[in-house]
Amino acid sequence: MKFVLLLILGIIIIQFVNGVQILVLHGGATWSGLGVNPYTTPNYLGQTVHKEKCSVECEYTSDKTLFDSSDAVMIEAQAFANFGYAYLKQKPELPQKQVNQYYINFGYEHDGYFPIFSEPGFHNHIDVNATFQQNYSAVPVTFACNWGSYDKGGIEEFKTTPIIPTAHKIQHIGFMASNCHGGGAIYRTSYLKDMMKQIRIDAMGMCLHNFDLAPEDNEHHLFDDLGDSFRIKRKVLGKYMFSISFENNNKTDYVTEKVFTSLLSGSVPIYMGADNIDEWVPKGSIIKTSDFKSPTDLVNHLKYLISNHTAYEEYFQWKTEPFPEKFIEKHNKCLFYNGDCRICEYIHKRVTEYNNSAPAGHRLLFGEPENVKGQKRLIILPQDTSCLIILQNDTIPAISGYFTILMWLEPIELEFDSKLLSIGDDQVIISIHSEWSRDYIRYCWGTSGEQCFLSEIPIIPGQWKHIGIVAQPGDIPGTEVITFYTNGNFDSSYKTVAKPDIASTGVKLGCDTHGYRGKVDDLTIFNHALTQKEVNQAMFKKFRGDEPGLLHYLTFNDWEPIDYSKYRSKVEYRDIITSDTGNQKLDLNCC
Ligand SMILES: *[C@@H]1O[C@H](CO)[C@@H](O)[C@H](O)[C@H]1NC(C)=O
Ligand SMILES: *[C@@H]1O[C@H](CO)[C@@H](O)[C@H](O)[C@H]1NC(C)=O
Ligand SMILES: *[C@@H]1O[C@H](CO)[C@@H](O)[C@H](O)[C@H]1NC(C)=O
Ligand SMILES: *[C@@H]1O[C@H](CO)[C@@H](O)[C@H](O)[C@H]1NC(C)=O
Ligand SMILES: *[C@@H]1O[C@H](CO)[C@@H](O)[C@H](O)[C@H]1NC(C)=O
Ligand SMILES: *[C@@H]1O[C@H](CO)[C@@H](O)[C@H](O)[C@H]1NC(C)=O
């Protein structure tokens, strides 16, 4: 935070200028120019973008050591997940979100390429979308600008770029694409093949190649100088009456640069892709495959336009009219011009709102203190008799039958039955139970174990699992439903005929002749039931400590176990070790 003193008309105004720092966690956002001004990356963008000054100080970094001080962490699903389904096998690491820190899902690719993009288990941890999906994004971004085509941006260029007179244009269709198969492109390829049987299409890219570029347009490989490649594409397509602008998939709002390059070139785009493309381009400026029953019907229309230049020229009528509101709006959201600033402004708003609304006391009276929040530690219970006790305290609310217990655990080696955690005077016992040489979480209640339930997904020595045990009221008064969650996913659920008679705040971890041996992290106890989404989110976020019903919150990030809930219950322990840990993994496949 900086204090800036401004002297205006003799009045001293003290202005608080708060910067926003965004850590780009996976991959690089530089392809998009985020945080770079002026953005001059000819090899990719092909233009120099001088961005306007942002209303908040806005810093992007890829320095992961700044994780804890960053206001937001940006994850690009594309880089985060690797191509396709790789994230199911190579589970990505996800650090725990700090209090008042936000996770941004950034990207311009769809779930046909990157299935993680539509995974609820991924989105559970996301606070802000900055993607092509306009209605789902707090900060929507577009490619609706002259991306790569000119050295400076400007919406007027859509009208003012000269176009070759119809009579001098090549009387058929130009096409340039390199991807013939990926992300759904196989459908557009098949459609094109049908068209090519009936009309001439000059395919100058790698896909369906049948026509060579002139030598002066073919000096380098497409990706060697993408900016130049865009210029060539615009120039070459501009010679044709029509150009193919087929997205690789028909996803709502998935409108890439293709149709804009075509519009700028001065040929009429034949468009396949987003069902709502009309919201993205000037009215009457394109021909849509979806308006035709078949490739044949489309080709017949094109042949008609080739024979009737008056009808063809109607596709340029829009250049004489004001731009539609919606097109202007999309142009103003072009990622390359202001995406970074708009993301910062939005995060600044969220952080400020939170700062103004959150009750005081965080990090002083409760919550992880400043010197601990950056640490990543856990505890190890190395022996059967290792023991941690959160002391009973009659002045704080009791666990009275309905509750949620959350923790990460990684057993070292499992005994036949090892006691993991108990509430009160053993009224509730959670243990790890062996059955057919596999180990499961077992929940029992009643001092002599009247009722016991087993989780279905096994616990495996040497593997981190996040477990959640939720007890909530059943349909019949006085009964309850016990639900197990593993890695944030539903595991199994049981109905009880009564509810345990407990009214206690004391909790023991281990503390038995056959106690649990292994690692434990983030022990969190609420005295009410959390939803599955809340259990899932708890895996990768930190609590303030004063959330309603949060009774105990031990992150183990200090050298001594401390309860960071607002109750700050006293903790006693013996024979436990504090140790460093890495980030937990996002396991969308579950277990
Ligand atoms: C982000 O977008 C997805 C759809 O891709 C949506 O399901 C999710 O609710 C959005 N998240 C937020 C925080 O808006
Ligand atoms: C987006 O929201 C607007 C306003 O609610 C609505 O009119 C439009 O149909 C929505 N578009 C999509 C693609 O869902
Ligand atoms: C997209 O829509 C076109 C018709 O406009 C269709 O031929 C094509 O197969 C669709 N693509 C995909 C990936 O479904
Ligand atoms: C050519 O197109 C114009 C404008 O759409 C139309 O008025 C005219 O009838 C067409 N001529 C023929 C021969 O179809
Ligand atoms: C929000 O509060 C935190 C902690 O007090 C402070 O560091 C940060 O600068 C504040 N940010 C804004 C935008 O008010
Ligand atoms: C019980 O909890 C209260 C409130 O957190 C605290 O002030 C008090 O010291 C605790 N008493 C014991 C015996 O731990």
Side-chain angles (χ1 to χ4, degrees):
M1 195 189 284
K2 285 184 198 162
F3 297 88
V4 179
L5 273 174
L6 295 176
L7 247 178
I8 301 172
L9 300 172
I11 306 164
I12 296 173
I13 299 168
I14 299 175
Q15 203 190 355
F16 295 82
V17 180
N18 297 304
V20 171
Q21 186 179 59
I22 296 179
L23 169 66
V24 182
L25 189 62
H26 292 272
T30 46
W31 67 266
S32 58
L34 296 181
V36 186
N37 191 18
Y39 178 37
T40 312
T41 314
N43 192 33
Y44 200 85
L45 190 69
Q47 59 180 246
T48 305
V49 178
H50 289 275
K51 299 174 189 173
E52 280 169 28
K53 192 166 162 27
C54 194
S55 70
V56 299
E57 269 177 58
C58 180
E59 189 196 334
Y60 284 76
T61 175
S62 57
D63 180 353
K64 289 187 187 159
T65 65
L66 298 176
F67 178 86
D68 298 298
S69 64
S70 294
D71 297 290
V73 175
M74 180 178 274
I75 297 163
E76 188 175 2
Q78 180 165 348
F80 183 57
N82 299 319
F83 205 82
Y85 287 95
Y87 64 90
L88 294 177
K89 273 210 219 130
Q90 297 161 26
K91 296 168 184 113
E93 286 200 345
L94 199 59
Q96 269 186 335
K97 200 184 294 177
Q98 295 290 349
V99 174
N100 198 17
Q101 189 178 51
Y102 300 89
Y103 276 8
I104 304 166
N105 170 42
F106 165 72
Y108 215 90
E109 273 309 339
H110 60 70
D111 57 356
Y113 273 124
F114 304 100
I116 197 173
F117 194 73
S118 58
E119 282 272 7
F122 167 65
H123 278 289
N124 274 349
H125 307 290
I126 295 296
D127 305 289
V128 181
N129 285 322
T131 73
F132 67 90
Q133 292 186 297
Q134 306 288 300
N135 279 12
Y136 291 113
S137 294
V139 188
V141 291
T142 75
F143 282 0
C145 46
N146 44 15
W147 197 58
S149 295
Y150 292 96
D151 283 333
K152 54 181 165 40
I155 195 168
E156 321 74 43
E157 270 139 19
F158 279 90
K159 283 186 187 172
T160 56
T161 40
I163 55 173
I164 297 177
T166 307
H168 297 132
K169 279 187 185 163
I170 301 172
Q171 308 285 303
H172 51 250
I173 307 164
F175 170 56
M176 280 171 102
S178 49
N179 167 20
C180 233
H181 304 284
I186 198 143
Y187 292 90
R188 77 170 170 212
T189 306
S190 132
Y191 196 102
L192 278 167
K193 282 183 177 165
D194 276 352
M195 286 179 74
M196 286 164 106
K197 287 178 196 148
Q198 308 169 61
I199 195 166
R200 178 146 170 209
I201 298 181
D202 289 347
M204 295 162 281
M206 285 187 299
C207 177
L208 300 174
H209 185 95
N210 64 4
F211 192 79
D212 291 336
L213 287 169
E216 72 269 23
D217 294 334
N218 201 12
E219 274 170 359
H220 57 75
H221 183 268
L222 171 75
F223 290 104
D224 289 346
D225 186 340
L226 212 57
D228 196 39
S229 298
F230 276 119
R231 266 185 284 270
I232 291 168
K233 190 170 175 183
R234 181 176 55 82
K235 188 183 105 182
V236 169
L237 293 182
K239 295 178 188 163
Y240 288 84
M241 282 183 78
F242 308 100
S243 51
I244 297 292
S245 301
F246 286 8
E247 306 291 357
N248 57 35
N249 222 312
N250 305 334
K251 307 265 180 188
T252 301
D253 286 333
Y254 184 65
V255 182
T256 66
E257 82 294 345
K258 296 178 187 62
V259 71
F260 303 108
T261 305
S262 271
L263 284 175
L264 285 159
S265 78
S267 83
V268 174
I270 305 169
Y271 185 79
M272 177 192 286
D275 54 355
N276 63 339
I277 183 66
D278 290 337
E279 297 171 19
W280 289 72
V281 293
K283 196 163 184 286
S285 61
I286 65 168
I287 296 169
K288 291 182 281 182
T289 57
S290 58
D291 283 344
F292 298 89
K293 279 210 291 291
S294 65
T296 307
D297 286 0
L298 168 62
V299 167
N300 287 340
H301 180 65
L302 301 177
K303 285 180 173 165
Y304 164 70
L305 294 174
I306 289 170
S307 72
N308 184 340
H309 284 184
T310 318
Y312 172 76
E313 273 155 20
E314 283 171 1
Y315 282 97
F316 296 95
Q317 181 65 29
W318 63 274
K319 292 200 178 223
T320 65
E321 292 161 5
F323 288 118
E325 283 290 303
K326 284 199 167 151
F327 178 64
I328 298 173
E329 179 208 312
K330 298 292 187 302
H331 183 270
N332 289 344
K333 291 181 181 156
C334 181
L335 172 63
F336 311 105
Y337 298 163
N338 57 28
D340 45 1
C341 174
R342 286 188 297 118
I343 291 168
C344 282
E345 287 173 343
Y346 179 79
I347 294 298
H348 184 262
K349 187 170 142 250
R350 288 279 291 259
V351 171
T352 310
E353 274 168 12
Y354 177 90
N355 276 2
N356 294 340
S357 69
H362 181 230
R363 298 220 158 102
L364 298 171
L365 305 171
F366 52 83
E368 275 191 333
E370 205 64 50
N371 64 316
V372 169
K373 77 166 189 176
Q375 302 302 326
K376 278 199 279 256
R377 300 195 186 104
L378 51 82
I379 54 164
I380 304 172
L381 289 75
Q383 302 167 19
D384 283 2
T385 51
S386 294
C387 177
L388 179 141
I389 303 173
I390 304 171
L391 291 182
Q392 164 93 28
N393 184 331
D394 295 334
T395 68
I396 74 170
I399 302 171
S400 57
Y402 306 127
F403 55 83
T404 301
I405 298 170
L406 306 171
M407 68 177 101
W408 285 94
L409 54 86
E410 185 194 297
I412 295 172
E413 190 186 303
L414 296 160
E415 300 294 322
F416 170 68
D417 237 354
S418 54
K419 190 162 162 186
L420 176 63
L421 183 142
S422 59
I423 299 175
D425 205 6
D426 280 356
Q427 276 99 341
V428 167
I429 297 175
I430 292 158
S431 47
I432 295 183
H433 178 77
S434 270
E435 188 107 351
W436 303 104
S437 60
R438 289 208 157 198
D439 302 295
Y440 302 89
I441 301 289
R442 185 163 75 163
Y443 169 99
C444 294
W445 65 263
T447 36
S448 48
E450 280 106 79
Q451 295 209 47
C452 290
F453 306 100
L454 273 194
S455 70
E456 283 182 2
I457 295 167
I459 295 293
I460 296 158
Q463 265 188 25
W464 274 112
K465 289 259 158 83
H466 184 267
I467 62 160
I469 300 160
V470 174
Q472 65 194 108
D475 300 339
I476 302 161
T479 66
E480 63 178 16
V481 175
I482 306 296
T483 308
F484 293 99
Y485 295 95
T486 308
N487 286 355
N489 298 296
F490 176 83
D491 175 309
S492 49
S493 182
Y494 301 91
K495 288 182 180 151
T496 71
V497 294
K499 70 174 198 156
D501 179 23
I502 46 169
S504 173
T505 58
V507 174
K508 291 189 196 110
L509 192 65
C511 312
D512 194 67
T513 43
H514 293 288
Y516 168 84
R517 292 196 300 150
K519 297 174 182 170
V520 174
D521 206 359
D522 297 326
L523 175 60
T524 310
I525 300 178
F526 283 85
N527 71 348
H528 64 116
L530 296 194
T531 63
Q532 169 167 11
K533 189 167 179 184
E534 287 168 331
V535 168
N536 189 299
Q537 289 174 332
M539 296 169 69
F540 296 107
K541 70 172 244 194
K542 288 190 180 175
F543 291 98
R544 268 170 64 89
D546 63 343
E547 283 79 359
L550 179 58
L551 285 189
H552 302 299
Y553 183 43
L554 285 80
T555 65
F556 304 119
N557 287 331
D558 206 348
W559 288 115
E560 260 191 289
I562 293 171
D563 181 353
Y564 292 120
S565 76
K566 71 176 177 191
Y567 301 115
R568 288 267 174 168
S569 291
K570 291 203 167 61
V571 178
E572 285 178 355
Y573 53 93
R574 63 167 185 268
D575 302 333
I576 67 168
I577 302 166
T578 301
S579 160
D580 291 328
T581 177
N583 293 330
Q584 313 296 10
K585 308 251 166 134
L586 178 66
D587 187 355
L588 294 171
N589 210 7
C590 191
C591 316

